[in-house]
Amino acid sequence: MRTSEAPDYVYVCDSAALERLTRCIRDGKSVALDIEADSLHSYTEKVCLIQLSVGGRHFVVDPLSELDYGGLLEALAEKPLIAHGGDYDLRMLRAWRGFRPRGEVFDTMIAAQLLGIEQIGLAALVEKFLDIAMTKDSQKSDWSRRPLTEKQLRYAANDTRHLEELAECLHGELLERGRVEWHRESCRAMVDSTGRDRPRDSREAWRIKGAGRLTPRELAYLREVWGWREERARRADRPTFKVLGNRQILELVQWAESHPGEPLEKGPKLPRDIVGSRRRALKHAIDRAAAMTPAEWPERIKAPRVHPPPIDQQQLDALRSKCAEIAERLEVAASTLAPKAALEAIVQERPRSFDEIMASTGLLRWQAELLRPALDATLYAPREEPPSTN
């Protein structure tokens, strides 16, 4: 097995290099794409690097430099793209500059899933198909810091170096097994999903996982402590989990509610850097919660009582079994063919046409077509009458 040597690359941080890259993209047939962000190191996640490989040349673009990237992104939007786990990359590029691809996207991770490959990470796939070992020693770098080292830049460039060759191998496997259209449809659905915003009520963002177990009084403490953490993380430009983790917040909240007026020194252990003004601000947040009246406490959110039609467990079990048989024959994971929630929706809503199956479950057409025989055998087949006892 060969070791993936760091490729020669162009670091794009000035207008001349940006113009050369834009021309190269316009002249190229397809472009391999990856990004590096700083979610592990900053409060507001941002695109820190864009890696591009086109026509055997490799580029590392610095989005933090003061350049006009409109022409580059316009050229990129017109080209077929190759990515690995591209949903994250496309969401980040859309948030950064409204980027949306107009050409096809070939996602190597999706291809691996449709081929039933268990290890779908980029390094594992490059090793499997190209017999090349990739290093991941700079994976957790702080990509927002400047200047970047030569080691970081070469590591980043290596992430797109093998994508085109890998995509060719995976496309060949998909073609051989008659799954190219499955992949196209799946990639189109992925791209479409990255163009939709995920709704979130910012007023309720403080309700972290585990908040549902708290009393209204404890929720008052949670809201104030969460607000302190957000402000501290924003000012320091650090991820919130590096200020105080959710589990630590819940532990502190429950202790503070049951020990009113006690100094923080007697409570759960806090990170070492919560001292001085930071500790005083945290204590003020706790004191504000302690002073609230019951009318000021947040309400517990109760999930609306929805009474869906009862699921025929016998039919659901039979459908799961048929789905598992189909997946085994195709040599893919059963969840790739149809997630559990989709099978439950099918049993509840009993769709008949392909369009009805897709509308009620969110499945794609290739999935609906593969599942239809299982529906005919389990939902619509006449049931055998039990033998008469007379």
Side-chain angles (χ1 to χ4, degrees), residues 58-71:
H58 312 289
F59 301 85
V60 179
V61 181
D62 189 348
L64 303 184
S65 59
E66 298 297 326
L67 297 174
D68 181 1
Y69 292 102

Side-chain angles (χ1 to χ4, degrees), residues 15-306:
S15 298
L18 179 60
E19 186 176 342
R20 289 196 300 272
L21 169 58
T22 303
R23 286 198 305 268
C24 187
I25 290 174
R26 288 183 181 136
D27 294 339
K29 292 183 179 180
S30 63
V31 183
L33 164 73
D34 187 40
I35 72 159
E36 303 294 348
D38 61 348
S39 60
L40 296 177
H41 302 277
S42 300
Y43 177 70
T44 303
E45 186 177 21
K46 56 186 175 293
V47 179
C48 297
L49 285 180
I50 304 172
Q51 301 100 285
L52 302 168
S53 291
V54 53
R57 301 176 65 188
H58 312 289
F59 301 85
V60 179
V61 181
D62 189 348
L64 303 184
S65 59
E66 298 297 326
L67 297 174
D68 181 1
Y69 292 102
L72 169 68
L73 295 177
E74 184 62 26
L76 194 62
E78 297 295 336
K79 294 297 177 178
L81 302 179
I82 304 168
H84 184 80
D87 53 343
Y88 175 77
D89 301 332
L90 295 180
R91 287 186 191 281
M92 288 297 297
L93 290 174
R94 176 174 177 255
W96 177 53
R97 294 290 174 90
F99 174 79
R100 298 296 298 148
R102 292 187 283 273
E104 284 197 352
V105 176
F106 188 104
D107 192 295
T108 52
M109 180 180 287
I110 293 175
Q113 290 172 321
L114 296 181
L115 292 170
I117 298 171
E118 293 185 6
Q119 300 296 324
I120 59 174
L122 177 60
L125 292 175
V126 169
E127 182 175 326
K128 177 181 178 66
F129 286 95
L130 307 180
D131 199 31
I132 296 174
M134 295 180 65
T135 61
K136 305 299 287 184
D137 54 352
S138 295
Q139 192 171 22
K140 296 184 179 180
S141 288
D142 183 353
W143 299 105
S144 66
R145 298 186 66 179
R146 296 296 184 272
L148 294 169
T149 66
E150 180 69 14
K151 179 181 179 181
Q152 287 176 305
L153 291 170
R154 289 194 175 276
Y155 165 86
N158 211 30
D159 270 353
T160 55
R161 178 187 182 188
H162 304 291
L163 274 179
E164 184 176 2
E165 188 179 1
L166 175 62
E168 289 175 358
C169 293
L170 290 168
H171 181 268
E173 294 274 334
L174 292 168
L175 188 62
E176 184 177 331
R177 299 175 72 172
R179 300 179 186 182
V180 170
E181 190 51 44
W182 299 5
H183 184 254
R184 286 201 184 104
E185 187 182 4
S186 299
C187 288
R188 283 195 296 267
M190 179 272 289
V191 172
D192 289 344
S193 73
T194 64
R196 297 191 291 268
D197 292 321
R198 296 172 177 174
R200 183 187 181 192
D201 188 348
S202 59
R203 297 169 299 177
E204 299 294 325
W206 57 270
R207 294 183 187 268
I208 60 177
K209 184 177 180 180
R213 301 192 301 269
L214 303 182
T215 65
R217 181 176 174 83
E218 289 172 333
L219 289 175
Y221 282 84
L222 171 61
R223 185 173 59 188
E224 295 302 314
V225 173
W226 183 90
W228 166 85
R229 182 181 71 169
E230 287 293 302
E231 179 63 15
R232 169 66 191 146
R234 184 187 63 79
R235 287 186 177 185
D237 193 22
R238 299 177 65 195
T240 55
F241 73 88
K242 287 193 175 182
V243 175
L244 196 64
N246 286 353
R247 185 178 297 180
Q248 292 173 298
I249 284 185
L250 293 173
E251 186 180 1
L252 175 61
V253 160
Q254 291 176 302
W255 174 85
E257 188 274 335
S258 60
H259 296 80
E262 290 282 345
L264 290 179
E265 289 75 14
K266 293 188 176 182
K269 185 177 180 180
L270 297 173
R272 288 180 295 179
D273 63 345
I274 300 181
V275 295
S277 61
R278 300 169 192 169
R279 184 177 286 258
R280 288 193 295 272
L282 176 57
K283 184 64 166 62
H284 290 328
I286 290 173
D287 290 343
R288 284 195 302 272
M292 289 180 184
T293 64
E296 298 174 290
W297 296 344
E299 294 183 0
R300 298 182 69 175
I301 296 179
K302 296 181 179 180
R305 291 190 175 183
V306 179

